[in-house]
């Protein structure tokens, strides 16, 4: 089986699995996996780390093999293979060839299916996708977003007359799309027509219209709408032709008091690449920004999301999660989802201990940098009962060298160190020795479940410390 076929088979299986498991569960455990190979009745699935491999193997195996049976119409054993970071990021072999890296494909498909429900738009006959959970009711208001929220609410009550256009600006993951959809729901509930589109879709459609000689139809469709919701305007930067199309549409709508809403992740004044005429037009409306939420708002968001998930989550857990992530509500939410899924899968209550295990991966980017190499050495030496100096020493017994290799692997994965620094920490080992030994551990993690368990235990002890 070729890599491409393996990828397709697994994607089909993922399609089944997506219907079997909750969305948080899918996002946490399955989204970043990739089909790699099949031979001798064994299908190999790549996972981003040992933790995911473990979870899939221990807790989701029967679901997975059922899904595979549906796809392949036969019995297959599934094996999980931990891809090293390099492999999943750079190797064209694993990633699916230049220009089509497997991860992007997965993400693409995910974006395409995660969006929401298909409901007919009243006026222009095209389906409009609005995420059913992105409403004003579920939007938590705090100091950081109260202006944007107030403006969005006002506009949704009286589209076309107050602020036109309304531009919402913020960094990613802070609720722009949520507000845009919330406006969409309101507008739709009153029977007014709307178009929600990402600027990327807008661009693609426009280019297609030009190609097919159907620009009039294109404009007509947009011009017949009461409200235009245009997400991620920054995508227009550098796309002259589409800017032109956008400008005409914009003008036509604006002149007839149709409401235009725009989000962008760059401040409008910084959209210097946009043509002046678009910029000055944008300036005619209102620009509001959303700042990262303060702790109080983050806690309120987490509380609300937990309620939506119908989960009882203690104050200390909410506090712990709220203090971790500052700048991105999506990540904040993601962590809560992981915790809930982990609790369900392990059938345990949501304790602080469990939280730290569940989000060990996401703690890493920040804590990794803070994770002292020495603590890795301590953890390994305690776990394997190997003297710390022996880890830094020359070769030694087999058990010592395995412990040393695990140390190298963990220094790389958990402390984010490069091979040269790792070599130095371990008593002056060669760069290439470190690379070789790390690769060896990656290999062993795939064939030796005991070692995999050991490495996970050590890593947990590091994160829990
Ligand atoms: P952006 O479009 O700015 O990148 P999104 O609107 O996609 O961000 O928001 C990311 C996630 O965070 C969504 O799941 C959204 O529901 C949630 N979110 C953001 N802000 C809030 C808020 N104030 N209250 C509740 N959920 C929020
Ligand atoms: Mg968005």
């Amino acid at each position: 089986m070729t890599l491409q076929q393996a990828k397709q088979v697994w994607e089909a299986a993922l399609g089944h699995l997506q219907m079997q498991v909750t969305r948080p569960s899918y996002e946490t455990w399955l989204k970043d996996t990739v089909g790699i190979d099949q031979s001798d009745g064994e299908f190999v699935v790549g996972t981003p780390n040992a933790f995911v491999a473990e979870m899939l193997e221990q807790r989701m195996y029967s679901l997975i093999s059922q899904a595979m049976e549906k796809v392949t119409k036969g019995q297959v054993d599934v094996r999980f293979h931990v891809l090293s970071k390099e492999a999943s990021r750079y190797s064209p072999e694993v990633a699916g060839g230049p220009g089509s890296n497997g991860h992007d494909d997965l993400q693409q498909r995910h974006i395409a299916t995660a969006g929401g429900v298909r409901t007919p738009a009243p006026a222009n006959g095209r389906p409009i996708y609005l995420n059913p959970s992105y409403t004003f009711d579920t939007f938590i208001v705090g100091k950081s977003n109260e202006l944007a929220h107030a403006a969005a609410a006002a506009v949704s009550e009286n589209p076309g007359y107050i602020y036109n256009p309304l531009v919402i600006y913020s960094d990613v993951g802070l609720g722009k799309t949520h507000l845009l959809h919330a406006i969409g729901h309101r507008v739709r509930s009153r029977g007014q027509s709307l178009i929600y589109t990402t600027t990327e879709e807008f661009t693609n459609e426009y280019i297609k219209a030009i190609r097919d000689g159907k620009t009039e139809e294109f404009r007509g469709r947009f011009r017949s709408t009461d409200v235009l919701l245009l997400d991620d305007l920054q995508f227009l930067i550098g796309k002259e032709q589409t800017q032109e199309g956008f400008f005409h549409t914009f003008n036509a709508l604006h002149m007839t008091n149709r409401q235009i809403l725009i989000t962008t992740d760059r401040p409008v004044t910084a959209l210097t690449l946009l043509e002046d005429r678009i910029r000055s037009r944008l300036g005619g409306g209102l620009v509001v920004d959303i700042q990262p939420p303060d702790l109080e708002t983050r806690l309120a968001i987490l509380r609300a999301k937990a309620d939506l998930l119908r989960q009882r989550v203690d104050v200390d857990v909410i506090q712990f999660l709220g203090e971790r992530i500052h700048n991105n509500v999506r990540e904040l939410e993601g962590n809560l989802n992981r915790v809930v899924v982990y609790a369900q899968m392990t059938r345990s209550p949501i304790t602080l201990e469990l939280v730290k295990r569940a989000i060990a991966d996401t703690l890493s980017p920040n804590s990794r940098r803070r994770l002292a190499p020495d603590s890795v050495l301590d953890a390994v030496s305690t776990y394997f009962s190997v003297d710390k100096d022996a880890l830094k020493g020359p070769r030694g017994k087999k058990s010592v060298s395995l412990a040393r290799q695990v140390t190298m692997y963990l220094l790389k994965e958990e402390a984010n160190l490069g091979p040269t620094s790792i070599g130095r920490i371990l008593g002056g080992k060669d760069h290439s020795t470190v690379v070789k030994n790390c690769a060896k551990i990656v290999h062993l993690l795939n064939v030796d479940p005991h070692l995999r368990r050991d490495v996970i235990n050590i890593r947990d002890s590091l994160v829990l410390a």
Side-chain angles (χ1 to χ4, degrees), residues 71 121 125 127 134 150 169 233-234 244 247 369 373 425:
V71 176
Y134 289 178
Y169 145 66
L233 186 76
Q234 70 278 357
E244 188 75 27
F247 181 70
R369 252 171 277 130
I425 289 165

Side-chain angles (χ1 to χ4, degrees), residues 173 176-178 196 231-232 263 330:
K176 297 184 293 297
T177 298
H178 188 137
Y196 168 86
D231 212 351
D232 294 321
T263 71
R330 185 177 292 126

Side-chain angles (χ1 to χ4, degrees), residues 155 158-164 226-227 254 256-260:
V155 159
N158 203 351
Y161 293 94
I162 313 173
Y163 317 115
N164 200 10
D226 293 321
V227 176
H254 200 250
T256 49
N257 285 347
R258 312 293 176 79
Q259 179 70 47
I260 299 160

Side-chain angles (χ1 to χ4, degrees), residues 32 48 76 164 276 280 319 324 350 368 424:
D32 295 325
V76 266
N164 200 10
D276 280 345
S280 59
Q319 186 82 24
R324 293 298 113 172
I350 302 180
R368 250 180 210 161
R424 205 179 312 124

Side-chain angles (χ1 to χ4, degrees), residues 134 138-140 145 170-178 301 305 329-330 333:
Y134 289 178
T138 57
F139 191 83
I140 303 295
N145 59 26
S170 82
D171 279 343
V172 295
L174 292 178
K176 297 184 293 297
T177 298
H178 188 137
I301 290 173
K305 300 279 175 191
V329 179
R330 185 177 292 126
E333 228 185 311

Side-chain angles (χ1 to χ4, degrees), residues 35 63 68 112 141 209 250 313 342 352 360 410 429 431:
L63 274 180
M68 282 299 288
V141 184
F250 181 95
V313 185
Y342 191 81
L352 211 48
L410 287 169
K429 304 272 182 309
H431 168 279

Side-chain angles (χ1 to χ4, degrees), residues 171-312:
D171 279 343
V172 295
L174 292 178
K176 297 184 293 297
T177 298
H178 188 137
L179 277 181
L180 219 53
H181 285 220
I183 295 168
H185 286 300
R186 269 270 158 97
V187 165
R188 186 145 75 189
S189 73
R190 272 199 314 270
Q192 287 177 300
S193 65
L194 67 121
I195 293 180
Y196 168 86
T197 179
T198 63
T199 307
E200 189 172 3
E201 279 164 13
F202 182 91
T203 303
N204 292 342
E205 281 190 37
Y206 185 64
I207 290 169
K208 190 167 177 296
I210 292 174
R211 202 185 52 209
D212 302 346
K214 290 189 175 158
T215 44
E216 266 320 302
E217 232 177 284
F218 174 86
R219 289 199 190 117
R221 185 165 88 77
F222 280 91
R223 279 175 192 165
S224 65
T225 191
D226 293 321
V227 176
L228 172 63
L229 306 164
L230 193 62
D231 212 351
D232 294 321
L233 186 76
Q234 70 278 357
F235 195 80
L236 267 194
I237 293 174
K239 302 197 173 56
E240 311 264 308
Q241 220 180 14
T242 314
Q243 286 180 21
E244 188 75 27
F246 173 67
F247 181 70
H248 284 304
T249 309
F250 181 95
N251 250 359
L253 291 175
H254 200 250
M255 269 158 48
T256 49
N257 285 347
R258 312 293 176 79
Q259 179 70 47
I260 299 160
L261 289 120
I262 288 169
T263 71
T264 171
D265 66 11
R266 325 239 170 124
V268 174
T269 45
L271 292 177
T272 44
L273 291 172
L274 282 186
E275 282 180 62
D276 280 345
R277 55 187 184 175
I278 289 185
R279 250 186 301 140
S280 59
R281 277 295 193 157
L282 289 183
L286 177 71
V287 179
V288 284
D289 70 349
I290 303 178
Q291 293 294 323
D294 54 22
L295 180 62
E296 194 188 335
T297 310
R298 298 202 296 277
L299 299 181
I301 290 173
L302 285 168
R303 173 61 58 211
K305 300 279 175 191
D307 289 348
L308 276 181
L309 294 168
R310 296 178 205 287
Q311 295 293 320
R312 281 192 38 199

